[in-house]
Amino acid sequence: MADVDDVVTREPSSRMAAPLPEELATKLDAAARASFGQASAPGAVVGVSSPEGTWTAAYGVADPATGEPMEVGVHTRIGSVTKPFTATLILQLAEEGQLSLEDPIADYIEGIPNGEEITLRQLADMTSGVASYTRSAQFTDRFFADPEQVFTPEELVAVGVSESPLFAPGEQFDYSNTNYILLGLIIEQVTGQPVGEVLEEQIFDPLELDETTWPGASAEMPAPYAQGFTLQGDTATPEAPANATHWNPTWEATAGALISDVDDLLVYGRAMGTGHGLLEPEAQRERLTSFQPPEGGYGLGFGCIDGWVGHTGTQPGYNTTVYYDTTTDTTVVVQATSDIPSGDCPESPVLADDPRTLPCATPATRIFAEVSTALGHTFTPNPER
């Protein structure tokens, strides 16, 4: 990004809480509505917060069985958008001197291959070489056979460890959910508290994220919530997707278990991008210069593409994007109630009636890309398959 110092010191516009000008809101609505029509999701919520004001809108239905309409303020599971929260806690603990990003994982957890060489920084930026349990048949066969079962973090780590190392620490990038389960265990070890309590004290309360929750081992959702649908699992078919709303969230824990709504995610998206309310400027500068490669890579808990910093969450039933445009001080959030891609997807399954004429994209990513274009700074996602 062009000016990191500007990002970490900029103050919010006094107009951010006001409605967006009608002309721009109409333009954004048209982009969101058109792209929602191309996405394989029953419902979506879209939000934009900028120096000109804030706009939110809902599309489709929250429950296809009843026809209940989607509404702004509905809760969804946000998947890997959880990772920036987890990484933020690690950075806060580093600021407090309770740990260092250069500490080896072996200082905290035994039995990790290359554990004496893998640093907490390498876990956070996905260069550890620890394999992701979610890509292992050991995990997926068991999970899909019973998605309501409870997993412990230690069980998840054991699967990833059994297929590690993929490479020497720091030599390559490999997106691994196991890294973030390990970071969660370290947070609990260092603080002596359950990670849900640490999230509440360090992030939810300071930012007043009243609608963001850590579910623990509960599969319940706070009201109002939207049903989520997937083609993953043993029972789903392209003609009849599975309802994954109440699949137990312990399988993703500190890599992806959080639940939130659009208003909270708009607040968090800007805080994540600027550091305000979360980190001191020095730590945020380090975070915003951690991306490899700088113009389109992954860093300490989130990625960067052409000045857009943030994260996508894709999990059975839901797809979420939370990105902050460092060039315009604009946050965009999309919550979609499906992780099913649409378009010409050679590897990923699509719905039976998908014409396969568009480039392959998951629902929230498709909508976000079109909304970003309407804002004047197009987000070009990495290709999906």
Side-chain angles (χ1 to χ4, degrees):
M1 62 196 67
D3 192 340
V4 171
D5 286 335
D6 174 63
V7 175
V8 301
T9 59
R10 64 174 53 142
E11 295 298 324
S13 164
S14 60
R15 281 197 48 78
M16 275 188 168
L20 272 182
E22 184 176 354
E23 182 179 356
L24 179 55
T26 299
K27 184 178 181 181
L28 295 176
D29 177 65
R33 192 175 299 278
S35 52
F36 172 68
Q38 299 169 336
S40 295
V45 174
V46 184
V48 172
S49 179
S50 79
E52 297 180 72
T54 296
W55 167 83
T56 56
Y59 305 91
V61 294
D63 186 348
T66 65
E68 177 186 354
M70 199 71 166
E71 60 183 63
V72 172
V74 74
H75 297 89
T76 62
R77 302 188 188 277
I78 64 173
S80 287
V81 174
T82 301
K83 289 182 175 70
F85 287 79
T86 301
T88 296
L89 295 181
I90 291 291
L91 289 165
Q92 289 174 338
L93 291 171
E95 281 189 324
E96 295 165 5
Q98 297 195 58
L99 55 76
S100 167
L101 295 182
E102 312 316 322
D103 288 343
I105 181 64
D107 284 0
Y108 303 91
I109 298 173
E110 297 179 349
I112 308 300
N114 292 328
E116 295 289 349
E117 289 79 43
I118 295 170
T119 65
L120 305 193
R121 181 186 300 278
Q122 290 166 338
L123 292 173
D125 69 12
M126 304 294 189
T127 61
S128 71
V130 178
S132 183
Y133 64 91
T134 50
R135 290 200 299 271
S136 171
Q138 292 183 64
F139 167 76
T140 55
D141 288 351
R142 179 182 165 190
F143 175 51
F144 290 143
D146 179 13
E148 296 180 6
Q149 68 186 292
V150 173
F151 290 88
T152 67
E154 291 79 8
E155 287 178 298
L156 303 175
V157 167
V159 173
V161 163
S162 72
E163 301 186 6
S164 301
L166 300 179
F167 47 81
E171 284 197 354
Q172 298 179 41
F173 171 87
D174 186 76
Y175 187 89
S176 173
N177 285 302
T178 312
N179 289 340
Y180 275 73
I181 302 300
L182 288 167
L183 291 175
L185 288 170
I186 291 167
I187 290 164
E188 292 193 330
Q189 185 180 137
V190 170
T191 63
Q193 296 177 266
V195 71
E197 292 181 7
V198 185
L199 284 162
E200 192 82 35
E201 293 174 7
Q202 296 296 111
I203 300 179
F204 301 168
D205 286 349
L207 296 182
E208 299 182 354
L209 305 183
D210 297 331
E211 302 300 326
T212 303
T213 57
W214 170 255
S218 173
E220 297 303 309
M221 294 274 284
Y225 64 89
Q227 306 287 323
F229 296 87
T230 187
L231 290 180
Q232 298 191 64
D234 293 346
T235 63
T237 68
E239 294 77 21
N243 187 324
T245 308
H246 295 295
W247 290 10
N248 193 281
T250 53
W251 73 270
E252 49 192 348
T254 45
L258 287 179
I259 299 166
S260 193
D261 76 349
V262 67
D263 290 333
D264 273 13
L265 291 174
L266 286 171
V267 171
Y268 184 74
R270 188 177 191 278
M272 174 185 62
T274 63
H276 294 182
L278 295 176
L279 297 169
E280 295 299 322
E282 181 179 353
Q284 187 65 12
R285 287 188 187 94
E286 179 180 10
R287 197 172 197 182
L288 292 176
T289 55
S290 66
F291 307 113
Q292 293 297 326
E295 70 281 358
Y298 201 84
L300 297 173
F302 53 85
C304 176
I305 294 180
D306 189 30
W308 287 98
V309 298
H311 219 292
T312 298
T314 304
Q315 66 186 104
Y318 301 93
N319 186 212
T320 311
T321 54
V322 179
Y323 282 85
Y324 174 75
D325 183 3
T326 59
T327 68
T328 63
D329 196 17
T330 299
T331 307
V332 180
V333 170
V334 181
Q335 301 165 271
T337 58
S338 156
D339 64 313
I340 303 168
S342 58
D344 184 15
C345 304
E347 297 181 21
S348 300
V350 298
L351 294 179
D353 60 355
D354 193 306
R356 297 178 178 263
T357 55
L358 298 169
C360 183
T362 49
T365 299
R366 186 178 299 286
I367 296 167
F368 169 42
E370 291 303 314
V371 169
S372 71
T373 298
L375 286 166
H377 181 195
T378 297
F379 175 88
T380 304
N382 296 319
E384 296 189 50
R385 300 185 299 272

